[in-house]
Amino acid sequence: MRGVGDIIIQLLRFVLYVGLYVFLISGTDFVLFDLGWCILYIGFLLFLPISTPIVVQLMLGFITGFVVDLFFDTGGLHAAAAVVLAYFRPWVLRLLTPRDGYDSADSASIHQMGWQWFVVYLSLLVLIHHTTFFLLELGSFHFFGLTLAKILISTLYTSLTLLISQLVFFPTRRRSR
């Protein structure tokens, strides 16, 4: 049964991304000059199958962010940013739709969609997430220059980490068209 297998794989991916972030990467050892944070758990949301319904994406975004908020006592900051990412994901997918459209089995991966598509997709959504996250964290525009630096450096850091994870850990299956 393909549906149950896919759900189990997604559940394992959730545990992997959130677990790595909570127990390994969230510490100060992985912060670049107090400006760049690697928010790895969003990879779970970014790499969901393209055909995932928007309601499911929003729920998964909230659950993912809420679980991270529980560990760090951040009062919904991660949940809000993850829901915003999940909300804009279908919009970005529509913006980047290939000429032939998407197959129902397509996933957002570098091997299926190609370098250019994936880098634009990843950069846009990570930038949206990080902008939401750091502006909510700041709560005002008093230190906007510092916040802008955090957004840009963290976006590059997280995007590069997720790009490397795609190349190392995901299979190189190509779609046949």
Side-chain angles (χ1 to χ4, degrees):
M1 192 157 46
R2 186 173 183 258
V4 174
D6 288 344
I7 291 172
I8 291 171
I9 289 172
Q10 295 304 324
L11 184 61
L12 290 173
R13 285 182 56 245
F14 171 81
V15 170
L16 177 72
Y17 278 108
V18 173
L20 275 175
Y21 179 73
V22 167
F23 296 116
L24 181 67
I25 295 180
S26 64
T28 57
D29 295 338
F30 289 95
V31 177
L32 297 176
F33 310 110
D34 277 340
L35 291 174
W37 279 265
C38 181
I39 303 179
L40 185 71
Y41 71 87
I42 64 173
F44 168 71
L45 300 170
L46 292 171
F47 305 147
L48 285 171
I50 291 175
S51 62
T52 305
I54 180 68
V55 174
V56 174
Q57 290 180 54
L58 291 171
M59 289 184 341
L60 289 173
F62 177 74
I63 291 167
T64 303
F66 183 72
V67 168
V68 174
D69 284 330
L70 286 176
F71 279 99
F72 297 112
D73 196 27
T74 49
L77 184 63
H78 290 277
V83 168
V84 168
L85 181 143
Y87 178 78
F88 279 104
R89 184 177 182 258
W91 179 80
V92 171
L93 286 171
R94 276 193 302 276
L95 179 72
L96 299 174
T97 301
R99 182 182 58 222
D100 299 338
Y102 297 114
D103 287 339
S104 62
D106 280 346
S107 65
S109 75
I110 194 168
H111 302 296
Q112 284 191 351
M113 305 310 288
W115 275 91
Q116 291 176 331
W117 183 95
F118 187 76
V119 168
V120 172
Y121 167 80
L122 188 66
S123 301
L124 277 174
L125 286 173
V126 171
L127 180 65
I128 289 169
H129 175 272
H130 285 21
T131 301
T132 304
F133 181 83
F134 288 112
L135 287 178
L136 287 174
E137 178 190 49
L138 180 64
S140 70
F141 291 105
H142 291 296
F143 301 104
F144 190 71
L146 178 64
T147 303
L148 186 61
K150 283 182 181 180
I151 291 168
L152 294 176
I153 292 170
S154 296
T155 297
L156 289 172
Y157 186 22
T158 303
S159 296
L160 185 62
T161 303
L162 290 172
L163 181 68
I164 291 169
S165 76
Q166 273 281 313
L167 292 172
V168 173
F169 297 112
F170 284 82
T172 58
R173 292 184 315 232
R174 297 203 50 95
R175 59 184 173 170
S176 58
R177 285 195 186 196

